[in-house]
Amino acid sequence: MDPKTQIESLRAELRDHNYNYYVRDDSSISDFEFDKKLEQLKTLEAAHPEYYDASSPTVRVGGEVTKNFNTVKHINRMYSLDNSYSLEDLQDWEKRLHKIVDGEVQYVCELKYDGASISLHYENGKFVQAVTRGDGTQGDDVTTNVRTIKSVPLQLKGNDVPAKFEIRGEIVLPWDGFHKMNEEREEQGLELYRNPRNTASGSLKLQDSAVVATRPLECLLYQLAGENLPYKTQFDGLEAARKWGFKVPPQSKLVDGIDGVLEFVNHWDVKRKNLPYETDGVVIKVNKLQNQEELGFTAKAPRWAMAYKFSAEQVSTRLEEITYQVGRTGAITPVANLEPVEISGTTVKRASLHNADQIEKLDIREGDEVFVEKGGEIIPKIVAVDLLKRPENSKPTVYATNCPECGTELIRKEGEAQHYCPNDMGCPPQVKGRIQHFISRKAMDIDGIGSETVDQLVEAGLIKNYADLYDLQFEQIIPLERMAEKSAKNMIAGIEASKKIPFERVLFGLGIRYVGETVAKKLARHYKSMDALMTMPELENQEQDLFNNDSNESADNNTERSRSVKAEKLQQLSAIPEIGERIAESVVEFITDPLHLEVIERLKAAGLQFSLSEEQLSNTSDALAGKSFVISGVFEMSRNDLKKMIEDNGGKVSSSLSSKTDYLIRGENMGPSKLEKAEKLEIKMISEQEFLAMV
Ligand code: AMP
Ligand code: ZN
């Protein structure tokens, strides 16, 4: 046999054994035999480097070292999932689905694996890249490490594998392997790993892939993504992935209606204790891909999927002390410092108490014995006090009156649960937090400054707010500890480059409370410039002032006037679709604060974008202002582009038909009940072409 054929046949054979052992959990060869053949292959490959192949089973042993993981943009965004906790939650979800989807809905129930999300890319049947979820829009390239995970197929099977696609899954560390790793740690006198999930995600970021190769990680797959995939339902997608060689857990089940979902949930709530890996719930997905298309996504999660969280384990422990934390926005969170206790495999020392009302409602006091639960959130919470065990000298909790960081008196607005420290330009965590938010990816995206650097800059007194960034000089930052010349240069260049960031992101970066990404976009589109947003309305009866000589009265009048100007501005803002009163108030407060005005002036002077660009202006119009659209069916252009076009032109997209809907844009395969409803409500139906003619 010539070496090439020999190498290829060994690879194929080892690949099969690997598949049987790691994907099908069924071994077809002894470890000894396997290792012998692997050695043989290694020797042959070393002698014939011309036949190198990144998909060879020999690359599984790792060895490549990654110093820095590259950031990669996801082709398809990696969303999070909405959570549900009860039958009612699920029924509500189904009701929402039925507003958009016609007929009976079938669901695929899957277990929610608790590990690190991963996206695997394949081209021409070969594994080419693995990316972590990161922030959902971009993640880290961890290909070299993931290649060492034996259940990740490097070469797919079958002849119907799409030329190019992405598959999502979870890298988990099964209990067995986790316990084994901890036994070794114990022998070596090292600190034990806390839980399988953190160890799994930590493993992906190890620099030495040979170490990753020794960890008993597994990759469970649950979702295909890409264009023109050869199946029409989630369930068939799973089946196809399984056939191509992926480890798709066998528990996934196709069920009818929410009753079927509930049966699955109840079954696994009990049986999950026997599973080889940790699960914290069930993921329910609408089976038909066409329905998934119609349902689309919210800003955070698909509408066609829902996580159901199993109810959490509860333990009791002593609350030692209540302390207060100040967040980036000045919000105060009371924190319970607990006598350390173990819940679901993790040691818990702190729990969130949410706010003053919560403390009062549960009458939580220092010294109490409390019940702690680790639910859907990462931070555990206190659910009740064991009143029988309350110490005799116990005193009701008096909530903090002053900021623990800067001493400023706390405020609490009417109707709000949270206390705030109002000293937003002087309170250290707020100062740092605002700047960190400003430079973050979704805002000014300033490369070259990490959060530690912000801390350093603030502590060195070099910056007090984000406008100060634009005055920073190379000579000022180079003396900072651990600051290399190259990073200092990067930082200055990053700051300079941020001057091109579009207006809406600058607006988001300002960190106005309640003005998130979406709201910032809306405000930017509506006002088109910061000047327009900040211009206060003119009031009638300006001349009144002329008749008023008494200075006291005039001062009163001035405050009166400024109050009604503000009220007018509030109204103006609240009249913008989807801008609520709370947002409007926060905006008005921000733009009337002299300290903020000064900072904005400085940012303007530095050359930041404070109005929409020519290009943005020419793509937007008010042609559809006040008009509400529903889109249904399949279109030539993508649904997202269609939605964007409606919004860019001032229209509003909603997901279900109502008497307020002005137009239904109908695509192919629109469901019959939607058609009927549209006819009943006498909603004007237009085609994609007719819509395009409107804009
Ligand atoms: P969350 O992080 O709570 O928003 O939940 C979303 C995450 O659940 C995803 O990013 C996945 O990592 C994870 N997940 C685990 N199992 C599944 C599954 N069967 N389907 C979808 N997502 C899953
Ligand atoms: Zn403060």
Side-chain angles (χ1 to χ4, degrees), residues 427-445:
C427 182
Q430 294 191 63
V431 168
K432 289 177 187 167
R434 292 186 89 83
I435 300 171
Q436 267 155 15
H437 170 73
F438 184 78
I439 64 174
S440 65
R441 277 183 192 162
K442 288 183 172 168
M444 304 303 283
D445 193 18

Side-chain angles (χ1 to χ4, degrees), residues 54-67:
S55 317
S56 168
T58 51
V59 307
R60 302 258 193 217
V61 292
E64 225 176 300
V65 172
T66 318
K67 279 264 178 299

Side-chain angles (χ1 to χ4, degrees), residues 664-691:
L664 171 66
I665 311 182
R666 59 186 290 194
E668 261 172 63
N669 291 338
M670 189 177 105
S673 81
K674 197 159 250 173
L675 188 67
E676 201 178 298
K677 187 161 179 197
E679 277 166 356
K680 207 166 94 205
L681 293 169
E682 296 184 341
I683 289 162
K684 189 159 179 177
M685 279 185 265
I686 55 173
S687 68
E688 189 174 357
Q689 279 65 36
E690 284 171 301
F691 165 74

Side-chain angles (χ1 to χ4, degrees), residues 105-124:
V105 178
Q106 274 197 316
Y107 301 96
V108 179
C109 295
E110 299 166 18
L111 292 176
K112 189 164 190 290
Y113 319 106
D114 205 9
S117 342
I118 195 80
S119 153
L120 308 178
H121 293 264
Y122 285 82
E123 276 171 30
N124 304 317

Side-chain angles (χ1 to χ4, degrees), residues 143-154:
T143 312
T144 40
N145 284 343
V146 169
R147 226 191 266 290
T148 68
I149 300 172
K150 319 286 185 298
S151 48
V152 171
L154 301 179

